[in-house]
């Protein structure tokens, strides 16, 4: 780090080296930088799937977390960001099953134990690639605490919670309709089903009365389930069907007799008011079936083929082939009344997109209502706050309508359910146990463990405490639970965020965090979510390679605001990420200039030491930049605190790019070069304000700020900006007079630069300026800053006089100070007069014809009023332009 800064900013050479240095120093562990002091501040990283590869969604989510954790770390908190990976039951099992398919094998060929061993081998071999990728974008998680949800400790936590919930009657086994994926061959929770609107059809079918005296029409979108119908239901108050209740229908195709039942759950307004009842294939029908003791006929196999319970000619057919055949038979029997186009929501497996089949089976469930109640109360009493606030409504309505959570999965990869069954005659005991059982505790007979594993989310809903050692009462648990902020994308609000609140309240008695920041989604310029299947993604690592991690982070942060999505253009990386890299370049060049002009440690600007810079040593520009710097501290700090990260980034950007680099550094150059007195004061001011700027920017752009900050003269080798104290607001730095006075100097220079540009004065050409200040004080201010104005506006001379020549380019400042720039020496006045003359002529003609048009009674009275208004506005604007040009020609002395 002692070698000089490279002349060119090259992120790839500094980033990986700095990251290694940070981890060697142990800077991301909360113990290392604030031993025993400071309140803890904890963020739990949403654990990525162990086989995942970093995409922009991870990039955004983890950048936000890193910004917050770095900010709080610098504020002296014991900041802990806990990383981990998720074993991701279905997703990981699918990956390995695909690999096996390539070898012509299925998991059943291998058998359970060999298959699970194969998945472990795959996970060990590929490792958690994504964790290395998170390091490449600068994530300062405490890697020494990395967990995997199948680790021994976390597995113990899963078992402990299952047993505790079972003992309290909050976990139960039930025979219900669940969501079934016929491809993954497992049950899914309601949250794991993606509802998608599709164009389908609805068929209105006639079910004849068994005695041939008529029929009832029912409507269905899944005619194949007719094979499992065991009743038709109507509302008890529905006059149309009152006499039919209790009579029998002859179920077409299947040729069975089924009753007509009355049930209040039927909506008489829907369709014909009569519905078919298939208790084995629909959750509502299942409930109707329970109430009327109807038989259940399961007509589908796990693969969604027609089962042996259906007539032989349908057996083995795929569900959609069966649909076609059922319809064909109904059609030929004249029982299809009509078919209509129908747009409706269809559930798809969130892992493989196969259409879900509702299926009756034995599964394990968590009783959610008792867990949801305290979670709802924590939001209502203000313990939990959402950013943006409106997300609290989603949370509330989900909890209010919560259903029991199906947690058993018919998979092999995951935490096996800790339940053992005794098959001994006359015993049949079910045992739920914290330890593995080999024998039945009741009769000593053989015990058989439940075949299923638990939903992956059943382990990840515990991580706020299981990652810290629970159920052991560890020091980590005592220190870092509860945490503080959770940063997530909204799509796992129910899967994960809300469930963690329930488990935290239930097992730890406290919410796991109090602030929930739900950021937007990364989308392309057509507002489509970036995804592999659409091919519209951006690889964050490619961006890191081409533009640097700092540029990636800056682009993501500056492109987001609370509650909105981040739009990036996958087809044009250059225009998407180059602005952030240009900012880094600007910072690098400013840093190189400043550091090369610091001869050693600078004098402090505040404090009690004798070497401190005294107020009267400061120039107007010094006072101005110190005040601007303090304003940036206030603005950025408040924005970071309020999760307005883009505003924090913008405040620091403006301070560095405009105030510091474009104005202050340009202003103090002569003093820094040592040909004027006060050089050491200028160095002290530039060193301090630049140091503050780097610290304010560090959370967003950690690498470049560290690279520059470490090179300040006199810094110890071990010093890191990542644990440097956060800049404090200093009341004494406030200086409204300096802001106003130097502001006027800037405005004057800007006005002269504007005139130069307007008249095409060559950059190397000097001009004169004549300034008449609005009042005495301003005149004195501007005269004192004569050297700055002359140099930065490229003037040969500047005169301050109210009664001077009033020719040339002209501008009036906001305080009514006026400036003239005689242009005779700089441009060809004759040519400029000619150009302005042609332009004036053109405008005169436009004004004339427009006045004629608007003088025409017929046009004005007949045209729509907005058209007339528009034409009037045009006239006004052209007149104004004409007047400006006439005035300009007058000022230039054109004949
Ligand atoms: Zn699936
Ligand atoms: Zn037994």
């Amino acid at each position: 780090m002692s070698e000089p800064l490279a002349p060119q900013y090259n992120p790839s050479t500094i980033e990986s080296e700095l990251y290694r240095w940070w981890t060697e120093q142990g800077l991301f562990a909360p113990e290392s930088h604030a031993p025993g002091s400071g309140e803890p501040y904890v963020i739990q990283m949403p654990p990525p799937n162990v086989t995942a590869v970093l995409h922009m969604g991870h990039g955004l989510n983890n950048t936000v977390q890193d910004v917050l954790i770095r900010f709080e770390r610098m504020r002296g908190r014991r900041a802990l960001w806990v990383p981990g990976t998720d074993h991701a039951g279905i997703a990981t099992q699918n990956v390995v099953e695909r690999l096996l398919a390539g070898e012509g094998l299925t998991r059943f060929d291998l058998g359970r134990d060999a298959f699970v061993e194969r998945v472990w081998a795959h996970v060990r071999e590929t490792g958690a690639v994504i964790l290395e990728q998170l390091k490449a974008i600068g994530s300062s998680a405490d890697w020494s605490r990395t967990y995997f949800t199948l680790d021994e400790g976390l597995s113990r936590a899963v078992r402990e919670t299952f047993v505790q919930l079972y003992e309290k009657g909050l976990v139960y086994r039930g025979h219900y309709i669940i969501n079934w994926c016929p491809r993954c061959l497992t049950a899914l929770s309601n949250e794991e089903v993606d509802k998608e609107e599709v164009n389908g059809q609805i068929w209105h079918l006639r079910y004849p009365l068994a005695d041939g005296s008529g029929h009832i029409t029912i409507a269905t979108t899944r005619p194949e389930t007719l094979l499992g119908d065991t009743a038709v239901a109507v509302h008890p108050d529905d006059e149309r069907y009152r006499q039919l209740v209790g009579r029998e229908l002859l179920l077409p195709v299947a040729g069975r007799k089924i009753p007509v039942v009355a049930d209040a759950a039927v909506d008489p307004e829907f369709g014909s008011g009569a519905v078919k009842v298939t208790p084995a294939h629909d959750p509502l029908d299942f409930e109707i079936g329970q109430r009327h003791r109807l038989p259940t006929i399961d007509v589908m196999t796990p693969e969604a083929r027609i089962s042996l319970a259906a007539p032989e000619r349908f057996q083995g057919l795929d569900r959609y082939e069966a649909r076609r055949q059922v319809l064909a038979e109904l059609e030929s029997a004249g029982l299809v009344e009509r078919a209509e186009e129908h747009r409706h929501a269809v559930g798809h497996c969130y892992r493989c997109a196969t259409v879900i089949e509702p299926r009756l089976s034995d599964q394990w469930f968590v009783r959610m209502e008792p867990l949801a109640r305290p979670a709802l109360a924590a939001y209502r009493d203000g313990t939990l706050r959402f950013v943006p606030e409106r997300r609290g409504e989603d949370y509330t309505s989900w909890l209010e309508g919560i259903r029991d959570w199906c947690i058993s999965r018919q998979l092999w990869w995951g935490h096996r359910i800790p339940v053992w069954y005794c098959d001994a005659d006359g015993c049949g005991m079910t045992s739920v146990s914290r330890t593995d059982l080999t024998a039945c505790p009741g009769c000593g007979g053989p015990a058989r463990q439940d075949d299923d594993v638990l939903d992956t989310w059943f382990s990840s809903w515990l991580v706020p405490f299981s990652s810290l050692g629970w159920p052991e009462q560890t020091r980590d648990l005592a220190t870092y639970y509860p945490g503080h902020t959770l940063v997530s994308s909204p799509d796992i609000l129910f899967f994960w965020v809300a469930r963690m609140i329930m488990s935290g309240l239930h097992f730890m008695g406290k919410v796991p965090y109090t602030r929930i920041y739900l950021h937007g989604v990364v989308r392309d310029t057509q507002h489509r979510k970036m995804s592999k299947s659409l091919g519209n993604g951006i690889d964050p690592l490619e961006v890191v390679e081409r533009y640097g991690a700092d540029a990636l982070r800056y682009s993501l942060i500056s492109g987001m605001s609370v509650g909105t999505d981040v739009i990036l253009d996958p087809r044009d990386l250059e225009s998407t990420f180059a602005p952030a890299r240009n900012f880094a370049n600007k910072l690098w060049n400013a840093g190189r200039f400043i550091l090369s002009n610091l001869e050693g440690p600078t004098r402090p600007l505040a404090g009690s030491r004798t070497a401190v810079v005294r107020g009267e040593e400061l120039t107007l520009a010094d006072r101005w930049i110190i005040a601007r710097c303090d304003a940036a501290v206030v603005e950025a700090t408040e924005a970071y605190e309020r999760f307005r990260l883009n505003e924090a980034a913008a405040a620091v950007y403006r301070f560095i790019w405009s105030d510091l680099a474009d104005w202050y550094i340009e202003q103090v150059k002569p003093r820094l070069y040592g040909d004027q007195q006060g050089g050491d004061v200028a160095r002290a001011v530039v060193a301090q304000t630049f140091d503050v700027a780097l610290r304010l920017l560090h959370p967003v752009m950690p690498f470049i700020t560290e690279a520059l900050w470490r090179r300040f003269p006199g810094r110890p080798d071990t010093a890191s900006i990542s644990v440097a104290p956060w800049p404090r607001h200093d009341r004494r730095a406030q200086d409204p007079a300096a802001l106003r006075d130097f502001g006027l100097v800037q405005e004057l220079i800007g006005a002269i630069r504007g005139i130069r540009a307007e008249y095409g004065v060559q950059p190397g050409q000097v001009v004169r300026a004549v300034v008449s200040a609005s009042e005495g004080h301003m005149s004195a201010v501007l005269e004192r800053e004569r050297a700055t104005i002359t140099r930065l506006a490229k003037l040969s001379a500047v005169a301050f006089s109210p009664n001077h020549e009033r020719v040339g380019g002209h501008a009036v400042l906001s305080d009514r100070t006026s400036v003239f720039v005689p242009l005779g020496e700089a441009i060809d006045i004759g040519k400029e007069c000619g150009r302005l003359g042609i332009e004036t002529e053109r405008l005169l003609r436009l004004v004339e014809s427009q006045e004629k048009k608007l003088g025409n009674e017929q046009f004005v009275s007949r045209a729509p009023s907005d058209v007339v208004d528009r034409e009037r506005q045009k006239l006004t604007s052209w007149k104004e332009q004409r007047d400006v040009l006439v005035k300009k020609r007058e000022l230039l002395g054109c004949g």
Side-chain angles (χ1 to χ4, degrees):
M1 282 302 138
S2 52
E3 70 266 25
L5 283 175
Q8 294 294 320
Y9 164 63
N10 185 349
S12 59
T13 55
I14 60 170
E15 290 180 353
S16 49
E17 193 188 328
L18 279 173
Y19 198 90
R20 197 174 333 114
W21 182 75
W22 284 332
T23 40
E24 280 163 14
Q25 304 284 307
L27 289 167
F28 304 155
E31 298 78 17
S32 68
H33 51 87
S37 70
E39 277 290 297
Y41 177 80
V42 181
I43 296 181
Q44 284 282 346
M45 178 189 291
N49 291 354
V50 66
T51 55
V53 176
L54 193 77
H55 56 58
M56 251 332 154
H58 298 120
L60 173 67
N61 177 248
N62 286 281
T63 299
V64 170
Q65 294 175 74
D66 196 46
V67 169
L68 297 175
I69 208 87
R70 285 181 184 272
F71 172 58
E72 296 295 351
R73 186 182 288 130
M74 292 175 78
R75 297 221 287 179
R77 302 281 292 266
R78 269 183 292 165
L80 171 61
W81 185 14
V82 187
T85 50
D86 194 308
H87 67 281
I90 303 183
T92 310
Q93 178 158 326
N94 281 355
V95 168
V96 177
E97 283 192 288
R98 271 199 299 276
L99 292 174
L100 283 179
E103 301 163 27
L105 294 170
T106 71
R107 64 179 155 122
F108 301 102
D109 295 326
L110 268 69
R112 184 168 191 144
D113 291 346
F115 177 77
V116 169
E117 198 31 62
R118 178 79 186 249
V119 184
W120 269 112
H122 177 77
V123 166
R124 282 193 206 100
E125 185 189 307
T126 56
V129 175
I130 191 161
L131 297 185
E132 294 309 309
Q133 296 173 325
L134 287 172
K135 293 174 189 175
I137 64 167
S139 310
S140 64
D142 181 359
W143 304 108
S144 71
R145 286 179 163 89
T146 306
Y147 65 81
F148 179 44
T149 48
L150 280 180
D151 283 347
E152 211 182 306
L154 278 87
S155 300
R156 262 197 65 200
V158 164
R159 229 179 229 207
E160 182 64 33
T161 46
F162 186 94
V163 174
Q164 281 193 25
L165 291 173
Y166 180 81
E167 286 168 350
K168 290 176 187 152
L170 294 173
V171 151
Y172 65 94
R173 193 166 194 242
H175 189 64
Y176 293 110
I177 298 273
I178 43 79
N179 303 292
W180 180 264
C181 175
R183 203 223 61 87
C184 298
L185 296 179
T186 180
L188 297 171
S189 67
N190 297 331
E191 290 69 33
E192 288 172 307
V193 175
D194 290 335
K195 292 275 186 192
E196 257 175 67
E197 286 279 318
V198 297
N199 290 319
Q201 276 187 297
I202 187 160
W203 289 271
H204 298 260
L205 308 175
R206 290 189 179 134
Y207 283 16
L209 284 155
D211 61 12
S213 64
H215 67 265
I216 290 182
T217 302
I218 57 88
T220 180
T221 57
R222 297 188 297 154
E224 66 280 12
T225 61
L226 168 154
L227 299 170
D229 283 358
T230 53
V232 162
V234 295
H235 194 276
D237 300 336
D238 195 333
E239 290 298 336
R240 294 170 294 177
Y241 298 109
R242 187 155 282 176
Q243 313 86 329
L244 295 179
V245 173
R247 292 180 60 185
E248 280 190 320
L249 301 166
L250 181 63
L251 181 64
V253 182
R256 280 187 283 112
K257 286 186 179 165
I258 57 172
V260 178
V261 299
D263 194 287
V266 177
D267 175 7
E269 305 295 318
F270 178 77
S272 65
V275 297
K276 63 198 269 314
V277 182
T278 323
H281 297 281
D282 181 277
L284 280 177
D285 292 5
F286 177 76
E287 286 168 17
I288 295 175
Q290 295 284 91
R291 285 195 283 274
H292 299 274
R293 294 173 200 280
L294 298 173
T296 55
I297 305 178
D298 185 351
V299 293
M300 251 179 249
T301 67
E303 294 82 8
R305 291 182 172 277
I306 301 304
S307 76
L308 303 180
E312 205 179 334
R313 61 189 188 281
F314 293 98
Q315 291 172 12
L317 290 184
D318 168 80
R319 53 185 161 169
Y320 300 113
E321 289 168 41
R323 179 176 300 178
R324 276 189 291 278
Q325 193 156 325
V326 165
L327 283 170
E329 291 190 15
L330 289 166
E331 200 74 68
S332 60
L335 296 174
V336 180
E337 198 169 284
R338 66 185 194 278
E340 289 167 344
E341 298 299 316
H342 183 61
R343 197 160 168 77
H344 61 139
V346 172
H348 292 75
C349 170
Y350 84 137
R351 284 300 170 199
C352 75
T354 302
V355 172
I356 290 301
E357 197 61 43
R359 181 154 198 255
L360 185 59
S361 64
D362 288 318
Q363 304 289 344
W364 287 91
F365 295 86
V366 178
R367 211 179 289 288
M368 295 303 270
E369 201 278 328
L371 298 177
R373 229 179 301 129
L376 208 46
Y379 172 66
R380 290 191 172 137
D381 70 17
T383 308
L384 276 175
R385 306 250 326 255
F386 285 85
V387 181
E389 280 174 34
R390 64 184 154 83
R391 290 290 180 186
E393 286 159 33
D394 300 344
Y395 174 81
T396 307
S397 62
W398 184 70
L399 286 176
E400 283 172 344
I402 200 155
R403 310 281 295 261
D404 285 354
W405 175 15
C406 174
I407 51 169
S408 43
R409 296 289 176 276
Q410 288 64 52
L411 304 172
W412 288 349
W413 175 244
H415 300 99
R416 194 150 169 191
I417 291 181
V419 174
W420 283 262
Y421 306 100
C422 174
D423 292 333
D425 279 349
C427 177
M429 185 170 173
T430 295
S431 314
V432 174
S433 173
R434 288 176 176 82
T435 53
D436 284 0
L437 297 184
T438 48
C440 167
C443 69
R448 172 177 54 83
Q449 189 173 3
D450 196 296
D451 277 331
D452 293 349
V453 300
L454 289 160
D455 182 3
T456 299
W457 302 97
F458 192 84
S459 53
S460 53
W461 78 322
L462 308 175
V463 295
F465 44 95
S466 65
S467 70
L468 301 172
W470 190 90
E472 300 293 324
Q473 294 304 314
T474 59
R475 263 181 83 100
D476 263 13
L477 191 64
T479 313
Y480 300 114
Y481 191 92
H484 301 83
T485 306
L486 188 87
V487 181
S488 168
S489 71
D491 53 356
I492 52 173
L493 173 58
F494 309 136
F495 278 119
W496 192 55
V497 181
R499 285 177 183 153
M500 280 190 287
I501 294 163
M502 294 187 238
S503 70
L505 282 165
H506 187 80
F507 294 102
M508 300 294 294
K510 279 183 183 152
V511 289
Y513 32 77
T514 48
R515 283 304 185 90
I516 300 160
Y517 178 26
L518 296 172
H519 54 70
V521 171
V522 184
R523 296 183 187 277
D524 67 12
T525 45
Q526 298 170 56
H527 291 256
R528 298 177 306 176
K529 197 172 165 176
M530 288 194 174
S531 79
K532 219 180 195 172
S533 52
L534 286 176
N536 64 344
I538 296 177
D539 176 1
L541 297 175
E542 187 191 340
V543 177
V544 168
E545 207 178 296
R546 284 173 59 181
Y547 302 92
D550 283 333
L552 169 72
R553 296 166 61 110
Y554 186 87
S555 305
L556 287 168
I557 294 296
S558 62
M560 70 186 300
S561 54
V562 169
T564 65
D565 290 334
V566 177
I567 309 292
L568 301 174
D569 189 350
R571 289 158 312 165
D572 189 357
L573 295 189
E574 187 63 17
S575 63
T576 307
F577 297 101
R581 189 201 40 209
N582 296 343
F583 175 45
N585 269 325
K586 178 98 177 177
L587 177 61
W588 187 261
N589 293 335
R592 258 169 48 82
F593 175 79
I594 291 167
L595 293 170
S596 66
N597 281 287
L598 299 181
E599 293 148 343
T602 51
R603 290 161 65 194
L605 295 190
S608 54
R609 282 183 286 161
T610 46
V612 73
V613 173
R614 297 183 316 279
E616 62 269 26
E617 290 182 85
L618 298 171
T619 65
L620 174 63
D622 296 339
R623 285 164 50 209
W624 171 80
I625 194 72
I626 290 168
R628 288 292 307 147
C629 184
D630 189 63
V633 169
V634 172
E635 200 180 338
T637 306
E638 268 181 28
Y640 280 123
E641 281 173 342
R642 299 173 62 206
F643 300 92
R644 297 175 179 274
L645 307 185
N646 59 322
E647 290 175 15
V652 190
Y653 179 97
R654 275 194 305 275
F655 178 68
I656 290 176
W657 191 298
S658 171
D659 296 343
L660 197 58
D662 284 353
W663 285 101
Y664 186 68
I665 291 179
E666 291 306 320
Q667 202 278 341
V668 295
K669 269 181 179 168
R671 283 155 79 205
L672 290 181
Y673 291 145
D675 57 0
Q676 276 185 28
Q677 55 174 184
D680 72 321
V681 173
R683 270 184 280 279
V685 174
V686 80
Q688 162 148 330
T689 51
F690 187 55
D691 184 328
V692 168
L694 291 175
R695 282 183 280 155
L696 294 179
L697 184 60
H698 178 72
V700 179
M701 298 179 95
F703 293 105
I704 187 172
T705 51
E706 179 78 283
L708 295 169
W709 190 87
R710 296 199 67 219
R711 283 182 170 83
F712 274 61
R715 269 301 180 237
D717 268 0
T718 51
S720 167
I721 191 174
S722 64
V723 289
W726 189 253
R728 280 164 181 261
H729 162 50
D730 181 358
R731 227 167 262 289
R732 288 163 304 174
Q734 288 179 341
D735 193 336
L739 291 175
R740 181 197 59 211
D741 293 354
F742 195 75
L744 192 72
V745 173
Q746 288 178 300
E747 216 189 315
L748 176 59
I749 294 167
I752 299 169
R753 286 175 175 168
I755 292 168
R756 297 178 58 109
E758 189 183 344
Y759 290 96
V761 178
Q762 293 299 308
Q765 176 76 49
V766 289
V767 292
R768 287 183 303 124
V770 181
V771 178
S772 4
S774 58
E775 39 101 358
H777 169 73
M778 280 309 171
S779 182
V781 166
L782 295 172
E783 284 204 57
R784 264 203 306 278
E785 296 302 316
R786 175 192 294 271
T788 299
I789 296 163
T790 307
R791 192 162 50 83
L792 297 185
K794 289 219 175 79
L795 300 178
S796 55
V798 55
F800 296 96
S801 157
N803 326 309
H804 213 281
E805 50 188 329
R806 307 174 74 87
V807 293
H810 179 230
V812 179
L813 309 188
S814 58
D815 76 328
R816 289 183 295 107
T817 291
S818 139
V819 56
F820 284 92
V821 178
L823 292 159
E825 307 101 29
I827 59 168
D828 182 337
I829 294 280
K831 214 166 136 190
E832 183 64 16
C833 285
R835 189 183 70 80
L836 291 173
I838 293 167
E839 189 59 18
T840 313
E841 282 298 314
R842 192 179 71 86
L843 278 161
L844 284 171
R845 280 196 302 277
L846 281 172
V847 167
E848 200 179 317
S849 72
Q850 192 73 356
E851 277 173 338
K852 213 185 240 167
K853 189 178 199 174
L854 287 164
N856 179 344
E857 260 319 303
Q858 289 218 328
F859 170 75
V860 177
S861 57
R862 284 187 191 169
S865 67
D866 59 322
V867 171
V868 177
D869 281 350
R870 235 183 353 256
E871 296 301 324
R872 288 220 168 93
Q873 280 162 19
K874 273 191 205 166
L875 177 61
T876 312
S877 153
W878 286 333
K879 275 181 166 171
E880 278 167 14
Q881 289 178 47
R882 177 200 62 192
D883 295 347
V884 167
L885 287 174
V886 168
K887 182 80 185 159
K888 263 186 170 180
R889 280 173 53 82
E890 197 185 309
L891 288 169
L892 284 178
C894 306

